Amino acid sequence: MKRVLVSQEVESALAGNRPVVAVETAVVTHGLPRDLALEAASRMAARVRHGGAVPAFCGVYSGQLYAGLDMAVLEQMTRMSPVKAAPRDLPGLVIGQGTAGTTVAATSYLAARAGIRVMATGGLGGIHRGPGLDVSADLLELTHRQVAVVCSGVKAVLDVHATAEALEALGIPVLGYGCHELPAFFCPTSGIPLEHTVHEPGMAAAFIATAWELLGERAVVVAVPPPGKPDLDWAAITRTIDLSRFDKMGKAATPSMLSLLHHHTGGLTTQKNLELLENNAAVAAAIACALHALF
Ligand code: PSU
Ligand code: MN
């Protein structure tokens, strides 16, 4: 058995030189309620296909690493109490026949192993707010994975400023896609200015290709604001989190904060989550096609 099993459809797309978009699965297993998560996954797949690319859901199923899980297996996974896997969790999952949704970090690893250069997700992990040191493995992993990560900036629940500074220190280029500020997941603005902005896929592809030519193997973050109205206010979200006096650390932090915000906003954060996932999948497909034309 191959270390990273690439589905037949993805394999033949890669071999036939057709664009492929890797899709993160931690958001399916841990980012949304189960039914909505599967709905989000199938809508993402549809948007990738509509954009002319092949979707490749990355994850771990019964100890096998995959690039290209189909919907039926994703459905199975959500019934198996999957874990949320960062790269360092992969050996244990392989040895212990575990099942997992993969974070941005682990998805970028699987994508790179499979030869996929563009991935779609919701938001990047980073530096958490509050006491204690909780820094996502997403940050370091992206310093050495040659993949364009199409996302709505960084997760709103993080210390967005510290995370933006860390991306700068680590030398990971961040490109605004139709925005001049770093989005904070379901919030279109965070007050953090971006120095590079493009408005269409061709320009994004040119930026990404140039980044790889000049800087070598590392990720480029393509930050796409969440679509649709009403806009959610980042300061208000941050206040809600602060007032709730969170006591969860580590992997449990994001899912429980998301569920708190869902209740506080009458479900609006969840609706935004779905919309931005779909939109990011569409943008990722367009960029994958444009990149494809360049190489
Ligand atoms: N966005 C969500 N829910 C999530 C994540 C993002 O709404 O669970 C995941 C992404 O997979 C991201 C990961 O890569 O959280 C980072 O988690 P950690 O901070 O534990 O590294
Ligand atoms: Mn963490």
Side-chain angles (χ1 to χ4, degrees):
M1 190 67 95
K2 282 190 183 158
R3 255 312 168 221
V4 178
L5 201 61
V6 181
S7 73
Q8 217 167 18
E9 189 194 15
V10 171
E11 182 94 65
S12 69
L14 290 168
N17 223 12
R18 275 177 293 129
V20 179
V21 171
V23 187
E24 189 226 308
T25 49
V27 67
V28 179
T29 55
H30 292 77
L32 287 162
R34 201 173 154 275
D35 287 353
L36 281 179
L38 291 168
E39 168 77 24
S42 73
R43 287 209 233 158
M44 286 179 87
R47 293 297 289 266
V48 170
R49 288 186 196 285
H50 185 74
V54 171
F57 286 94
C58 296
V60 190
Y61 180 67
S62 296
Q64 175 65 53
L65 309 179
Y66 281 94
L69 290 156
D70 63 31
M71 286 304 298
V73 176
L74 276 181
E75 219 259 322
Q76 271 305 113
M77 283 171 64
T78 61
R79 295 181 190 281
M80 296 167 76
S81 328
V83 298
K84 171 178 151 186
R88 73 164 189 168
D89 302 313
L90 299 177
L93 286 160
V94 168
I95 297 295
Q97 315 260 289
T99 291
T102 44
T103 62
V104 168
T107 303
S108 72
Y109 163 80
L110 294 172
R113 286 287 296 254
I116 303 169
R117 291 288 172 81
V118 178
M119 61 177 269
T121 183
L124 278 189
I127 301 173
H128 275 268
R129 301 162 54 76
L133 185 66
D134 187 345
V135 179
S136 174
D138 288 357
L139 291 175
L140 271 180
E141 192 70 21
L142 294 186
T143 62
H144 54 273
R145 295 286 167 226
Q146 191 169 351
V147 59
V149 183
V150 180
C151 60
S152 293
V154 306
K155 298 192 287 188
V157 298
L158 298 174
D159 183 331
V160 178
H161 279 267
T163 304
E165 290 295 334
L167 287 167
E168 180 185 342
L170 293 169
I172 301 167
V174 182
L175 179 67
Y177 192 87
C179 60
H180 296 273
E181 268 184 43
L182 183 67
F185 202 54
F186 24 58
C187 310
T189 56
S190 63
I192 298 164
L194 292 174
E195 286 167 46
H196 310 283
T197 299
V198 295
H199 296 277
E200 47 89 29
M203 291 304 292
F207 182 98
I208 293 160
T210 306
W212 288 339
E213 183 201 329
L214 298 180
L215 307 172
E217 293 211 357
R218 74 182 68 191
V220 175
V221 172
V222 181
V224 187
K229 297 280 163 198
D231 286 345
L232 280 168
D233 177 34
W234 179 64
I237 297 271
T238 305
R239 252 189 327 273
T240 308
I241 294 167
D242 286 349
L243 287 173
S244 72
R245 300 217 201 117
F246 253 99
D247 58 354
K248 291 224 167 36
M249 288 280 292
K251 290 184 182 186
T254 301
S256 56
M257 284 188 217
L258 289 177
S259 109
L260 174 102
L261 291 171
H262 172 88
H263 290 108
H264 261 264
T265 59
L268 192 55
T269 50
T270 305
Q271 184 197 319
K272 286 269 171 203
N273 199 340
L274 283 172
E275 289 170 359
L276 69 86
L277 285 170
E278 242 190 281
N279 187 54
N280 292 348
V283 172
I287 292 175
C289 293
L291 260 178
H292 197 69
L294 292 181
F295 285 102

